[in-house]
C-alpha cells in the first residue's frame, strides 16, 4: 500500500509540473502570436517569426520549422542577413532534435557562414556550440570537442560567464564519454560554480545532470540519483520537456542498476511518453532499449524482445552506434534466455562487427591527431628559422644605420667647419682621414656580416638536410608502426576467429544439449500421451460396448424410448471420443510442424457471430445467457479463418463447460490502441468472460500446458482432455497473436486473444 501511494504521489507531482510548464509556455506563444501583423513585412516581423520558432522547438517541431522557413524567406527577400542566419539556426536545432544530423549540420554551417560574414562573435560562438552538439549526438567526440573549444575561446575573450558555463559543461561531457573522469569533473564543476553564482537555472540543471552522469559512471548511484532529481526539478520548472525526459530516463536507469525495477519502469515509461510526443528520436531509442533491459531483468522475455527490436530500429535510423551496441547485447541475452541460440549468436556477431567499426574510427581520429601534432612541430621549427634570419638582418641594418649616422655627422661637421673657419682645413683633413678610416671599418664589418650570412646559410642547408633525414627516419618509423599495427590487427582477427569458433562450439554444444532435453521431454510426453489416451478412450469404449450389447440382448423387451436413449448415449459417447481424437491430432499436427496456415484479411464480426450461434443451444440447455453485441462496422483481422474459429470455439466451449447454470457468458470484439508502440497498427482483441469458479494462482501458472487438469470441474458432467487451452495458445501464437487469462479465484475468468490487423513475420510453431 505504501508503494502504491508513493507511485500515485510521484505521478501527481509529475503531471502538475507538466501542466504548469505547458501553461507558461503557451502564454509566451500566445503573447508572441498576438504581435504578428501579416501586413507588416519588415525585419521586426522576421525577428518575431524566429522567436515563435524558438518557442515551438520544444512543443511542436512542425510549427517550429514552419515559422523558421517563413522567417528565412522574408529575411532573404529583405536581405536581412541576421534574420536569415537565425532561420537556418532554428531549423538546424529542430532537425537535430529529430535525429536528422546531416540536415542539422548543413543548416548550422549556413548560419555560421552568415554570422562570420557579419562578424558577430556571440552568434559565431553559438553556431560553433550548435555544430559541436550535433557531432556529440552522432558520437563523433573528436569533432565535437574541436567546435566546443572554439566556442569557449570566444566566450572567454568576451568574458561571457553564462556561455562559458554552457561550454564548460559540453566539454566535460566529451571527456566523460572518453573515460577521463578527472577532466570531466573539473569542467563540470567550473560550469556549475558559474551557474550558481549567476542564478542561471537552465545551465545549472544541465550541470547537475552532468555531475550525476559522472557519479553514475563511477557506480556511486545514490549521489547520482540526488543530482538527477535536482536537475529534473529545475527542468520541469523551466518547461524543458526534452530535458525532463532525459532526467526521467537517467533516474530510471539508476533505479534499474539498484534493481528497483518497478520504479525504473515508471520513470522510463514517462520519458517515452514525452519523447514520442515531441518526436525526440534519440530519446525514444534510449527509452525503448532501457525498457527492454528491465523486462529482461523481470523475465518478461517477449516484451523485452519487442522493445529492444524497436529500440534497435530507432537507434539505427539516427546512426547512434553506442545505442545499437547496447541493443544487440541485450537482444543476445534475451535470445539466450529463450533458448534461441542461433539468433543470440547472430546478435552477438553484429555487436562485435559494430564495435570493431567504432574502434577503427577512434584509431583514425588518433592518427589524425598525431598528424596535426607533427604539422605543428614542423611549423614551429620553420618559425624559429625565420626568427633567426630576422635577427641577423636586424644586426646588419643597425650596423649600416650607425655608419650612416657617423657619415652624416662627419659631413655636417666638415661643412660647418668649412663655413666658419677655413683655417681649420688641416683639422678637416684629419677628420676626413678619420671618416675614411671609419668607412674602412664599416666595410670590414659589412664583409664580416656577409661572411656570417654565408655561414648561416650553410648552417640552414645542414639543418634542412638533418631535418630531411629526421623526416625520412620518421617515415620509416611510421611504416614500421603501420606494419606492427597490421600484425597486431591480424593477431586480433585470428583471436576473434578463435573466439568465434569457441562461441560456435559452445552454442553447438548448448543446442545439442537442448535437443537432448527436448527428446527426453518428448519421450516423457509420448508416454504420458499414450497413458492419457488409453485412459480417456477406455471408459467411453466400454460404455459403447455395454450399451450396444444391452440393446442386442434385450431388444425385444426394450421400449422404443429405451432404445433411443441407449442410441443417444452411444452417439454422445462417440462424439466425446471424436473430440479426444481431434484434440490429439491437432496437437500432433502443431508439434510436427505440418499445420498449414492460410493467413488473410477478413472481417471478424461474422466469424464470431457464427461461433456464438453454434453454441447457443448448448448454452440454453444449461440455462446460461450467451451474450454478444456485434460492432456496427467491420473489424478486420489478419489471420487464418479456420484456426481463429477453432480458438474461439475452444474458449466458448470451456466457458460453458465450467459455468454453473443460470449465469452469463460475454463474448466481445474490442480494440487496444494502448498496445501500440511507435504508432504501429494496434491489434484486434477477442474477450470471453464467464461467471464460473475462477482460477487459483496454481491453476494460472499451468493454465496453457498440455494434459493439464485444473482444480475446477465441469458443472454438467462434461469431459475434459486437458489439451484445449494448449492448442489455443499454440494456434494463436502461430498466427502471430497473443493469449492470456485474467482471473480472481471464485469470481470467474476472462480470456483474451489478440491477433494482428496487418501482415507480420510468421512465427515458427513449436
Amino acid at each position: 500500500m505504501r508503494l502504491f501511494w508513493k507511485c500515485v504521489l510521484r505521478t501527481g507531482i509529475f503531471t502538475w509540473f507538466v501542466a504548469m510548464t505547458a501553461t507558461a509556455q503557451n502564454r509566451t506563444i500566445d503573447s508572441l502570436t498576438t504581435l504578428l501583423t501579416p501586413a507588416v513585412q519588415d525585419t521586426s516581423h522576421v525577428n518575431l517569426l524566429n522567436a515563435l520558432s524558438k518557442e515551438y522547438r520544444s512543443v511542436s517541431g512542425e510549427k517550429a520549422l514552419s515559422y523558421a522557413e517563413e522567417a528565412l524567406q522574408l529575411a532573404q527577400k529583405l536581405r536581412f542577413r541576421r534574420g536569415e542566419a537565425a532561420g537556418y539556426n532554428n531549423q538546424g536545432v529542430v532537425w537535430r532534435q529529430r535525429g536528422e544530423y546531416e540536415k542539422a549540420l548543413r543548416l548550422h554551417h549556413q548560419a555560421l557562414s552568415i554570422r562570420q560574414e557579419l562578424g558577430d562573435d556571440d552568434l559565431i560562438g553559438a553556431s560553433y556550440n550548435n555544430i559541436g552538439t550535433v557531432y556529440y549526438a552522432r558520437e563523433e567526440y573528436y569533432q565535437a570537442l574541436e567546435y566546443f573549444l572554439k566556442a569557449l575561446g570566444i566566450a572567454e575573450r568576451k568574458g561571457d560567464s553564462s556561455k562559458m558555463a554552457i561550454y564548460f559543461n559540453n566539454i566535460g561531457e566529451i571527456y566523460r564519454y572518453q573515460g577521463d573522469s578527472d577532466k570531466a569533473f573539473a569542467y563540470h564543476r567550473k560550469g556549475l560554480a558559474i551557474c550558481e553564482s549567476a542564478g542561471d537555472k537552465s545551465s545549472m540543471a544541465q550541470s547537475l545532470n552532468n555531475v550525476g552522469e559522472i557519479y553514475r559512471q563511477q557506480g556511486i548511484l545514490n549521489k547520482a540519483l540526488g543530482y538527477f532529481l535536482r536537475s529534473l526539478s529545475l527542468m520541469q520548472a523551466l518547461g524543458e520537456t526534452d530535458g525532463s525526459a532525459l532526467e526521467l530516463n537517467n533516474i530510471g536507469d539508476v533505479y534499474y542498476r539498484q534493481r528497483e525495477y518497478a520504479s525504473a519502469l515508471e520513470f522510463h515509461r514517462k520519458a517515452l511518453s514525452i519523447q514520442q510526443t515531441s518526436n525526440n528520436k534519440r530519446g525514444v531509442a534510449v527509452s525503448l532499449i532501457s525498457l527492454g533491459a528491465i523486462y529482461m531483468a523481470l523475465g518478461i522475455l517477449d516484451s523485452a524482445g519487442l522493445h529492444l527490436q524497436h529500440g534497435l530500429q530507432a537507434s539505427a535510423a539516427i546512426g547512434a552506434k553506442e545505442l545499437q551496441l547496447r541493443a544487440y547485447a541485450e537482444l543476445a541475452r534475451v535470445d539466450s534466455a529463450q533458448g534461441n541460440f542461433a539468433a543470440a549468436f547472430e546478435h552477438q556477431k553484429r555487436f562485435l562487427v559494430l564495435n570493431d567499426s567504432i574502434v577503427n574510427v577512434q584509431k583514425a581520429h588518433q592518427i589524425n591527431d598525431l598528424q596535426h601534432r607533427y604539422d605543428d612541430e614542423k611549423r614551429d621549427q620553420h618559425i624559429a628559422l625565420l626568427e633567426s634570419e630576422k635577427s641577423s638582418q636586424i644586426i646588419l641594418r643597425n650596423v649600416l644605420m650607425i655608419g650612416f649616422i657617423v657619415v652624416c655627422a662627419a659631413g655636417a661637421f666638415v661643412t660647418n667647419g668649412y663655413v666658419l673657419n677655413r683655417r681649420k682645413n688641416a683639422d678637416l683633413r684629419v677628420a676626413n682621414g678619420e671618416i675614411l678610416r671609419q668607412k674602412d671599418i664599416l666595410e670590414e664589418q659589412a664583409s664580416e656580416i656577409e661572411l656570417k650570412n654565408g655561414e648561416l646559410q650553410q648552417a640552414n642547408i645542414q639543418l634542412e638536410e638533418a631535418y630531411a633525414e629526421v623526416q625520412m627516419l620518421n617515415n620509416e618509423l611510421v611504416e614500421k608502426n603501420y606494419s606492427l599495427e597490421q600484425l597486431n590487427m591480424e593477431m586480433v582477427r585470428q583471436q576473434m576467429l578463435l573466439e568465434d569458433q569457441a562461441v560456435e562450439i559452445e552454442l553447438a554444444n548448448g543446442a545439442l544439449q537442448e535437443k537432448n532435453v527436448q527428446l527426453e521431454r518428448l519421450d516423457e510426453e509420448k508416454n504420458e500421451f499414450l497413458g492419457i489416451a488409453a485412459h480417456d478412450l477406455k471408459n467411453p469404449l466400454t460404455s459403447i460396448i455395454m450399451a450396444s450389447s444391452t440393446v442386442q440382448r434385450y431388444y425385444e423387451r426394450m421400449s422404443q424410448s429405451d432404445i433411443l436413449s441407449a442410441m443417444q448415449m452411444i452417439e454422445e459417447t462417440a462424439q466425446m471420443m471424436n473430440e479426444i481424437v481431434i484434440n490429439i491430432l491437432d496437437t500432433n499436427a502443431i508439434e510436427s510442424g505440418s499445420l498449414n496456415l492460410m493467413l488473410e484479411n477478413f472481417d471478424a464480426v461474422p466469424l464470431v457471430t457464427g461461433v456464438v450461434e453454434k453454441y447457443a443451444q448448448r448454452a440454453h440447455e444449461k440455462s446460461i445467457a450467451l451474450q454478444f453485441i456485434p460492432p456496427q462496422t467491420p473489424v478486420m483481422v489478419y489471420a487464418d479463418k479456420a484456426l481463429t474459429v477453432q480458438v474461439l470455439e475452444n474458449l466458448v466451449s470451456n466457458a460453458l463447460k465450467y459455468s454453473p447454470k443460470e449465469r452469463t457468458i460475454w463474448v466481445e470484439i474490442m480494440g487496444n490502441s494502448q498496445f501500440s508502440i511507435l504508432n504501429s497498427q494496434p491489434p484486434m482483441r477477442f474477450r470471453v468472460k464467464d461467471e464460473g469458479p475462477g482460477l487459483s494462482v496454481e491453476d494460472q501458472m499451468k493454465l496453457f500446458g498440455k494434459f493439464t487438469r485444473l482444480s475446477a470441474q465441469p458443472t454438467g458432467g462434461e469431459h475434459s482432455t486437458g489439451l484445449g487451452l494448449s492448442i489455443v495458445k499454440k494456434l494463436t501464437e502461430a498466427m502471430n497473436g497473443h493469449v492470456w487469462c485474467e482471473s480472481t479465484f471464485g469470481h470467474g475468468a476472462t480470456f483474451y486473444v489478440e491477433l494482428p490487423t496487418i501482415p507480420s513475420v510468421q512465427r515458427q510453431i513449436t
Side-chain angles (χ1 to χ4, degrees):
M1 181 61 72
R2 183 180 300 173
L3 178 61
F4 169 77
W5 286 113
K6 183 179 178 182
C7 292
V8 169
L9 181 60
R10 284 178 180 168
T11 304
I13 293 173
F14 174 77
T15 305
W16 180 82
F17 267 122
V18 171
M20 293 298 292
T21 296
T23 302
Q25 197 160 30
N26 287 336
R27 289 200 194 101
T28 303
I29 291 173
D30 291 341
S31 62
L32 290 172
T33 305
T34 55
L35 297 175
L36 277 179
T37 306
V40 179
Q41 300 286 303
D42 56 8
T43 57
S44 63
H45 192 70
V46 174
N47 292 333
L48 190 57
L49 290 170
N50 277 319
L52 275 167
S53 175
K54 184 176 180 181
E55 289 297 323
Y56 270 115
R57 284 190 329 216
S58 60
V59 178
S60 171
E62 292 299 329
K63 288 189 177 180
L65 287 174
S66 176
Y67 280 116
E69 181 62 28
E70 186 179 351
L72 180 61
Q73 292 178 0
L74 180 58
Q76 290 173 339
K77 181 179 178 181
L78 298 172
R79 300 184 182 276
F80 180 33
R81 301 289 279 168
R82 185 180 297 273
E84 186 179 348
Y88 284 129
N89 183 73
N90 283 329
Q91 291 185 21
V93 172
V94 175
W95 287 118
R96 190 254 303 167
Q97 291 172 341
R98 292 184 169 189
E100 299 287 347
Y101 299 131
E102 290 300 328
K103 287 184 181 179
L105 278 177
R106 176 174 56 79
L107 291 163
H108 282 311
H109 276 294
Q110 286 176 299
L112 174 62
S113 177
I114 295 173
R115 289 169 173 178
Q116 288 175 331
E117 176 187 324
L118 296 173
D120 191 324
D121 284 345
D122 289 334
L123 295 178
I124 291 171
S127 289
Y128 282 147
N129 182 65
N130 288 334
I131 294 171
T133 303
V134 177
Y135 279 121
Y136 170 78
R138 287 175 55 167
E139 300 167 3
E140 297 179 16
Y141 301 126
Y142 182 86
Q143 291 90 335
L145 181 60
E146 177 184 355
Y147 280 96
F148 287 152
L149 288 172
K150 287 181 179 180
L152 178 61
I154 292 176
E156 288 178 336
R157 289 198 304 272
K158 302 282 289 185
D160 191 337
S161 60
S162 62
K163 290 183 178 177
M164 286 169 60
I166 295 172
Y167 304 150
F168 279 142
N169 281 326
N170 292 342
I171 295 169
E173 279 297 278
I174 297 296
Y175 283 121
R176 182 179 69 81
Y177 271 98
Q178 292 178 338
D180 193 339
S181 298
D182 293 337
K183 285 187 177 180
F185 258 127
Y187 277 99
H188 285 317
R189 284 169 178 163
K190 287 180 182 179
L192 185 57
I194 293 174
C195 297
E196 289 176 342
S197 62
D200 184 352
K201 293 184 178 180
S202 178
S203 299
M204 191 186 306
Q206 186 61 47
S207 296
L208 290 168
N209 169 74
N210 294 336
V211 174
E213 292 277 10
I214 297 174
Y215 279 123
R216 177 172 61 179
Q217 193 173 22
Q218 293 179 339
I220 309 173
L221 299 180
N222 287 333
K223 282 192 175 182
L225 182 60
Y227 278 96
F228 289 149
L229 287 170
R230 289 172 62 191
S231 178
L232 175 62
S233 177
L234 289 174
M235 290 287 189
Q236 291 173 332
L238 293 168
E240 295 285 347
T241 55
D242 285 336
S244 298
L246 172 66
E247 295 309 326
L248 290 168
N249 266 334
N250 287 337
I251 294 168
D253 182 66
V254 171
Y255 280 127
Y256 168 73
R257 296 180 185 215
Q258 293 177 334
R259 299 184 179 181
E260 296 185 24
Y261 299 128
S263 297
L265 275 175
E266 174 191 353
F267 280 94
H268 281 305
R269 283 171 176 168
K270 289 177 181 178
L272 179 60
S273 175
I274 294 173
Q275 289 153 346
Q276 286 178 329
T277 302
S278 64
N279 199 21
N280 184 341
K281 295 182 179 179
R282 180 182 178 87
V284 168
V286 172
S287 296
L288 287 171
I289 294 172
S290 299
L291 286 169
I294 295 170
Y295 283 124
M296 171 63 192
L298 292 171
I300 308 174
L301 302 182
D302 288 341
S303 294
L306 183 64
H307 283 80
L308 290 170
Q309 285 289 354
H310 284 295
L312 177 61
Q313 293 170 9
S315 57
I318 62 174
K321 295 181 179 179
E322 296 291 342
L323 294 179
Q324 293 178 61
L325 279 179
R326 184 183 174 196
Y328 280 133
E330 293 291 346
L331 280 169
R333 291 179 58 210
V334 172
D335 292 332
S336 297
Q338 290 178 326
N340 192 353
F341 296 108
F345 174 72
E346 181 63 26
H347 285 128
Q348 184 66 23
K349 182 179 178 182
R350 293 184 182 181
F351 171 86
L352 294 173
V353 171
L354 182 59
N355 188 58
D356 286 345
S357 69
I358 294 174
V359 172
N360 290 335
V361 170
Q362 292 173 347
K363 286 186 177 179
H365 289 326
Q366 292 174 356
I367 292 171
N368 191 29
D369 185 46
L370 291 174
Q371 182 65 41
H372 284 310
R373 292 182 184 178
Y374 170 73
D375 292 340
D376 291 341
E377 291 178 0
K378 184 177 178 180
R379 184 173 62 253
D380 292 341
Q381 291 175 355
H382 183 64
I383 292 172
L385 180 61
L386 291 175
E387 289 179 348
S388 175
E389 292 178 356
K390 182 178 179 182
S391 299
S392 300
Q393 291 174 358
I394 290 172
I395 293 172
L396 177 61
R397 185 186 63 188
N398 290 339
V399 170
L400 292 175
M401 288 180 65
I402 292 171
F404 178 74
I405 292 170
V406 171
V407 170
C408 290
F413 178 75
V414 170
T415 302
N416 187 48
Y418 181 78
V419 174
L420 296 176
N421 193 355
R422 294 180 179 179
R423 292 177 298 176
K424 296 183 179 179
N425 286 334
D427 295 335
L428 288 174
R429 286 194 294 272
V430 173
N432 286 334
E434 180 64 22
I435 290 172
L436 292 174
R437 189 178 68 81
Q438 292 292 336
K439 180 180 178 183
D440 293 337
I441 293 173
L442 289 174
E443 289 177 351
E444 290 177 0
Q445 290 178 346
S447 298
E448 292 178 357
I449 291 172
E450 186 176 358
L451 181 62
K452 292 291 184 183
N453 284 336
E455 293 176 354
L456 183 60
Q457 290 177 357
Q458 185 66 27
N460 286 337
I461 293 172
Q462 293 176 354
L463 181 61
E464 289 178 356
E465 291 175 352
Y467 177 75
E469 291 179 1
V470 170
Q471 190 173 16
M472 182 177 64
L473 292 173
N474 192 26
N475 291 335
E476 291 178 358
L477 182 60
V478 170
E479 291 177 359
K480 290 181 179 179
N481 286 337
Y482 178 76
S483 299
L484 289 174
E485 287 182 0
Q486 292 294 108
L487 290 173
N488 188 36
M489 289 174 63
E490 179 63 22
M491 290 177 64
V492 170
R493 190 180 69 81
Q494 293 294 336
Q495 183 179 357
M496 288 179 62
L497 287 175
L498 291 175
E499 291 176 354
D500 289 344
Q501 291 173 356
V503 171
E504 289 176 359
I505 292 172
E506 185 176 354
L507 290 174
N509 288 337
L512 182 60
Q513 186 177 0
E514 181 68 17
K515 291 295 183 183
N516 289 333
V517 172
Q518 289 179 0
L519 287 174
E520 291 176 359
R521 179 175 56 81
L522 289 174
D523 185 60
E524 291 176 357
E525 288 183 357
K526 180 199 70 175
N527 294 333
E528 183 180 3
F529 167 76
L530 291 175
I532 291 174
H535 177 270
D536 287 349
L537 293 175
K538 176 182 176 183
N539 291 336
L541 282 172
T542 301
S543 298
I544 290 173
I545 292 170
M546 290 179 65
S548 61
S549 175
T550 300
V551 172
Q552 288 178 0
R553 289 183 181 180
Y554 305 106
Y555 177 76
E556 296 179 354
R557 303 180 190 176
M558 295 176 66
S559 64
Q560 187 175 3
S561 62
D562 290 338
I563 294 173
L564 289 175
S565 177
M567 292 300 102
Q568 184 178 359
M569 186 274 290
I570 291 173
E571 181 183 2
E572 291 175 353
T573 305
Q575 287 178 350
M576 182 180 69
M577 292 174 62
N578 184 55
E579 181 184 350
I580 294 171
V581 172
I582 288 173
N583 285 340
I584 291 172
L585 291 176
D586 286 344
T587 302
N588 182 64
I590 293 171
E591 293 184 343
S592 64
S594 60
L595 184 65
N596 294 321
L597 294 178
M598 297 293 292
L599 299 179
E600 59 180 321
N601 278 309
F602 61 88
D603 183 5
V605 176
L607 185 143
V608 178
T609 302
V611 172
V612 172
E613 290 175 352
K614 179 178 179 179
Y615 284 89
Q617 180 59 34
R618 190 185 297 183
H620 179 70
E621 291 172 357
K622 294 185 70 173
S623 300
I624 292 175
L626 184 57
Q627 292 192 1
F628 170 62
I629 301 176
Q632 297 301 315
T633 57
V635 179
M636 303 305 295
V637 63
Y638 187 76
D640 185 299
K641 274 187 178 181
L643 298 187
T644 304
V645 170
Q646 189 173 350
V647 167
L648 288 174
E649 286 183 350
N650 261 294
L651 295 179
V652 174
S653 175
N654 272 359
L656 288 169
K657 187 181 297 182
Y658 291 99
S659 292
K661 293 183 178 182
E662 298 181 356
R663 297 296 174 88
T664 302
I665 295 174
W666 294 268
V667 180
E668 297 178 76
I669 302 177
M670 54 194 297
N672 184 14
S673 59
Q674 295 178 347
F675 190 71
S676 172
I677 294 180
L678 292 178
N679 300 319
S680 63
Q681 185 70 21
M684 189 276 297
R685 178 181 291 180
F686 299 111
R687 183 170 76 173
V688 179
K689 180 180 179 182
D690 63 50
E691 293 181 323
L695 298 168
S696 65
V697 176
E698 293 78 7
D699 284 345
Q700 292 184 45
M701 293 177 64
K702 60 183 181 178
L703 185 60
F704 294 101
K706 289 194 302 184
F707 310 116
T708 300
R709 301 295 174 88
L710 305 178
S711 59
Q713 297 299 319
T715 58
E718 296 94 338
H719 178 75
S720 174
T721 63
L723 291 172
L725 289 179
S726 173
I727 293 172
V728 166
K729 178 176 175 62
K730 291 184 180 295
L731 292 181
T732 302
E733 291 178 348
M735 294 185 290
N736 301 301
H738 181 50
V739 60
W740 72 96
C741 175
E742 296 178 359
S743 175
T744 301
F745 189 63
H747 295 85
T750 303
F751 284 83
Y752 294 89
V753 175
E754 280 186 349
L755 293 175
T757 55
I758 57 173
S760 58
V761 178
Q762 183 175 336
R763 295 187 184 176
Q764 183 178 2
I765 305 173
T766 58

